[in-house]
Amino acid sequence: MSTGLRSGQVAEAAGVNIQTLRYYERRGLLAEPERSNGGHRLYGEDAITALRVIKAAQRLGFTLEEVAELLEAGRHRHGRPVAGLLQRAAAKLAEVDAKIADLTTIRTALTAAVDAGCDDLTVCASSACCPIPFTDLAEENRHAGPCC
C-alpha cells in the first residue's frame, strides 16, 4: 500500500487521539496497518469506520473486552451460532436497567436524608427516624429521640 492515511489523519477523522489508535492496535481491535517505505503507519478508510464503531459501542456501555468479542463474533460467524449484537445488546440493556434500579434506590435514600435534614451520619444512624437504609441493620442500637 503506497497510499493511505497516516495516524494523525485517522485519529482526527475518528475523533480519537493517536495514543488511543495505537492502544486499539495493541489490543487487537484494529488490524495492524501497512507501513510506508519510511516506516509510517498507513491506514485505509475502514480504520476510521472501525474506530467510530468502537467508540459508539463504548458509549453504549460496552467494555473494550466486550467490543473485541463483538468484533470477533462479527468476523467469524460462518454459520455458527455466535452471540452477536442483538443478544449482547439485550444483556447490556438488562445490566443498565439493574444499575438504574440501584441508582433509583440510592437517590430515594439520599433525597430522604436531605429532606430529613440529616447532617451527621453517626447521629442520624442512631436515630429511630433515620431514612438511610443502613438503620435496619442496627435495629437494636437505635434509641428513640429527635430525628437527625
Side-chain angles (χ1 to χ4, degrees):
M1 172 189 272
S2 59
T3 62
L5 301 168
R6 304 244 327 239
S7 298
Q9 294 171 303
V10 172
E12 184 177 344
V16 301
N17 62 48
I18 292 173
Q19 290 79 18
T20 300
L21 177 67
R22 296 211 175 115
Y23 179 69
Y24 291 168
E25 279 179 37
R26 287 192 304 275
R27 294 274 316 246
L29 296 168
L30 285 177
E32 193 169 321
E34 293 189 28
R35 300 278 183 156
S36 71
N37 292 336
H40 298 285
R41 291 173 166 88
L42 296 175
Y43 298 87
E45 292 285 335
D46 58 329
I48 296 169
T49 302
L51 285 167
R52 288 178 178 160
V53 167
I54 293 165
K55 296 311 287 180
Q58 284 184 298
R59 283 191 297 278
L60 291 174
F62 290 100
T63 65
L64 280 180
E65 185 174 324
E66 291 168 331
V67 172
E69 291 170 1
L70 282 169
L71 293 172
E72 190 66 21
R75 289 183 197 121
H76 298 288
R77 285 197 93 125
H78 303 299
R80 294 180 296 149
V82 178
L85 179 60
L86 183 60
Q87 182 179 349
R88 290 172 192 238
K92 185 59 68 177
L93 183 59
E95 201 177 293
V96 167
D97 286 342
K99 286 179 183 178
I100 289 171
D102 288 345
L103 288 171
T104 300
T105 300
I106 291 167
R107 186 183 195 294
T108 300
L110 289 172
T111 299
V114 168
D115 290 347
C118 296
D119 196 34
D120 183 318
L121 191 60
T122 305
V123 171
C124 188
S126 62
S127 172
C129 61
C130 178
I132 299 175
F134 61 71
T135 56
D136 58 353
L137 299 174
E139 187 71 34
E140 65 279 358
N141 292 334
R142 286 194 199 182
H143 64 282
C147 189
C148 306

